[in-house]
Amino acid sequence: QEQQAQDPAERQKEMIAKYGKKIGKEVASGNIDIGMSQAAVTDAWGNPDDRQKIQGGREKWVYGQDAVTFSHGKVAAVGH
């Protein structure tokens, strides 16, 4: 059973209710930023292709050519 594409305005409302206005708008637009939670990144970009534990209690999520590094569950860096 295919999930029906969500109306962008409805998705934005839902993400703002979940994360607040600033972060909710970014997540609904598929953008991520420093300080976002892992849940917000999953809502913005989906599940990563790979997750790697790295030194200092950090975690790296890989999305194709992009990587998101988390420190204490929050985005610390976004890069390639």
Side-chain angles (χ1 to χ4, degrees):
Q1 171 177 337
E2 276 188 48
Q3 189 176 4
Q4 203 169 11
Q6 190 175 16
D7 175 63
E10 283 299 313
R11 175 153 171 81
Q12 183 167 310
K13 253 195 254 181
E14 184 183 314
M15 293 299 105
I16 288 171
K18 191 171 182 178
Y19 298 112
K21 193 170 189 174
K22 182 177 185 288
I23 292 174
K25 282 185 172 182
E26 292 295 317
V27 170
S29 299
N31 298 321
I32 63 171
D33 206 353
I34 303 300
M36 282 187 177
S37 67
Q38 291 178 334
V41 172
T42 301
D43 279 334
W45 284 12
N47 290 315
D49 299 325
D50 189 34
R51 296 175 196 222
Q52 305 162 357
K53 297 282 186 190
I54 51 180
Q55 285 181 320
R58 297 184 323 172
E59 196 170 343
K60 181 176 173 180
W61 289 8
V62 178
Y63 291 89
Q65 298 295 315
D66 296 314
V68 181
T69 304
F70 295 92
S71 179
H72 306 288
K74 301 285 184 188
V75 175
V78 182
H80 303 286

